[in-house]
């Protein structure tokens, strides 16, 4: 059922106009303050058309977040192809860092998506944040699991720990990154990369000297 709903939304003739209007509104306002009426008006569609494809503002917001995450990962995966012999040049932790740097390129190329992410991080503690976060985390779970499986096979991760345990720990750390680094300064692009470098180094080496 969920797949059919997504297909219906993707086949929506005015989807580009609607998502562009939604991106503009949600990247400059909190979820609560964002106006669905304004989005519909700027997209040039009727309310009836909107409600045929989306249940409400929440449905649109989460769909937009999903599309932004997909666009980011498509960008990252395409850029990674340009890095020769990636598997031989770095372990899983260096790959995490590389993905973060390509993510920075994406943010600079598509600043509205970056702003959407910043506004979303400010929803922390609210119901909409938890609802969206649960959905978004599922989107990247399969990719992370595949990376962990390859890393274990290559001896980059401890073989005495169950794969499921490693997956849960790494997934939790990445999912909760913005709960640790959540000041206005932390949300600046260069600071995000700096903190991610420290974060990944901590995953690899811990706190011992």
């Amino acid at each position: 059922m969920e797949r059919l709903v997504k297909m219906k939304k993707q086949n929506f003739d005015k989807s580009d106009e609607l998502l562009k209007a939604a991106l503009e509104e949600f990247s400059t306002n909190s979820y609560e303050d964002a106006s669905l009426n304004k989005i519909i008006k700027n997209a040039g569609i009727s309310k009836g058309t909107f409600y045929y494809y989306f249940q409400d503002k929440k449905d649109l917001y989460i769909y937009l977040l999903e599309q932004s995450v997909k666009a980011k990962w498509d960008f990252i995966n395409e850029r990674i192809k340009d890095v020769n012999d990636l598997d031989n040049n770095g372990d899983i932790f260096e790959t995490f860092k590389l993905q973060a740097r390509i993510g920075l390129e994406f943010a600079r190329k598509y600043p509205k998506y970056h702003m959407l992410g910043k506004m979303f991080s400010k929803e922390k503690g609210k119901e909409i944040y938890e609802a969206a976060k649960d959905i978004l985390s599922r989107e990247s779970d399969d990719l992370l699991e595949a990376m962990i499986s390859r890393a274990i096979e290559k001896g980059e991760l401890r073989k005495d720990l169950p794969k499921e345990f490693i997956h849960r720990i790494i997934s939790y750390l990445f999912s909760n990154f913005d709960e640790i680094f959540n000041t206005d300064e932390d949300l600046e692009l260069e600071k995000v990369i700096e903190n991610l470098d420290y974060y990944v180094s901590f995953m690899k080496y811990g706190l011992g000297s």
Side-chain angles (χ1 to χ4, degrees):
M1 178 64 180
E2 181 181 350
R3 184 180 177 184
L4 288 174
V5 171
K6 285 188 175 182
M7 286 177 65
K8 186 172 75 171
K9 289 171 182 174
Q10 289 166 351
N11 292 329
F12 174 31
D13 287 341
K14 288 280 219 172
S15 60
D16 287 346
E17 290 89 338
L18 179 58
L19 293 182
K20 181 179 179 181
L23 182 57
E24 180 65 33
E25 186 70 5
F26 287 123
S27 65
T28 53
N29 295 282
S30 67
Y31 172 75
E32 184 177 349
D33 291 338
S35 169
L36 180 57
N37 287 335
K38 185 177 179 181
I39 292 172
I40 292 172
K41 179 181 178 182
N42 290 341
I45 62 174
S46 68
K47 286 187 177 182
T49 298
F50 173 82
Y51 285 111
Y52 178 75
Y53 292 98
F54 295 91
Q55 295 178 13
D56 48 28
K57 183 170 79 170
K58 176 182 176 181
D59 190 26
L60 172 62
Y61 182 62
I62 292 178
Y63 183 73
L64 178 64
L65 288 170
E66 287 182 288
Q67 293 304 299
S68 71
V69 169
K70 181 181 184 303
K72 180 178 179 179
W73 277 111
D74 286 348
F75 182 89
I76 289 173
N77 290 332
E78 189 61 34
R79 280 284 290 107
I80 279 181
K81 292 178 184 177
D82 297 334
V83 181
N84 294 326
D85 299 322
L86 177 62
D87 288 341
N88 296 322
N89 289 337
D91 60 19
I92 188 173
F93 301 103
E94 291 305 313
T95 302
F96 288 151
K97 291 181 180 181
L98 175 60
Q99 288 173 339
R101 279 165 174 73
I102 297 175
L104 178 62
E105 290 180 33
F106 176 82
R108 286 175 171 159
K109 187 171 182 177
Y110 303 101
K112 286 291 183 182
Y113 278 135
H114 175 63
M115 287 303 300
L116 176 67
K118 287 180 69 172
M119 294 304 295
F120 174 62
S121 69
K122 293 180 180 180
E123 302 292 342
K124 186 179 62 171
K126 299 178 183 177
E127 183 180 345
I128 187 63
Y129 181 86
E130 296 305 321
K133 188 176 179 181
D134 285 344
I135 293 172
L136 297 177
S137 63
R138 292 199 296 267
E139 296 289 324
S140 57
D141 235 23
D142 290 344
L143 174 62
L144 179 59
E145 185 173 1
M147 290 178 66
I148 289 172
S149 294
R150 288 196 300 270
I152 291 174
E153 291 174 3
K154 293 166 62 179
E156 297 170 358
L157 294 169
R158 289 173 53 179
K159 293 187 177 180
D160 60 315
L161 297 176
K163 184 175 78 170
E164 176 64 20
F165 174 83
I166 295 174
H167 180 268
R168 287 189 182 188
I169 291 295
I170 295 179
S171 179
Y172 180 85
L173 287 172
F174 278 129
S175 296
N176 291 277
F177 176 82
D178 60 354
E179 294 191 17
I180 301 172
F181 305 101
N182 53 22
T183 67
D184 288 340
E185 180 185 1
D186 288 332
L187 294 176
E188 296 301 320
L189 290 176
E190 296 296 341
K191 192 65 176 178
V192 170
I193 295 300
E194 180 183 352
N195 285 333
L196 273 168
D197 275 351
Y198 292 146
Y199 208 59
V200 172
S201 292
F202 166 74
M203 288 185 200
K204 185 173 185 178
Y205 301 110
L207 295 174
S209 60

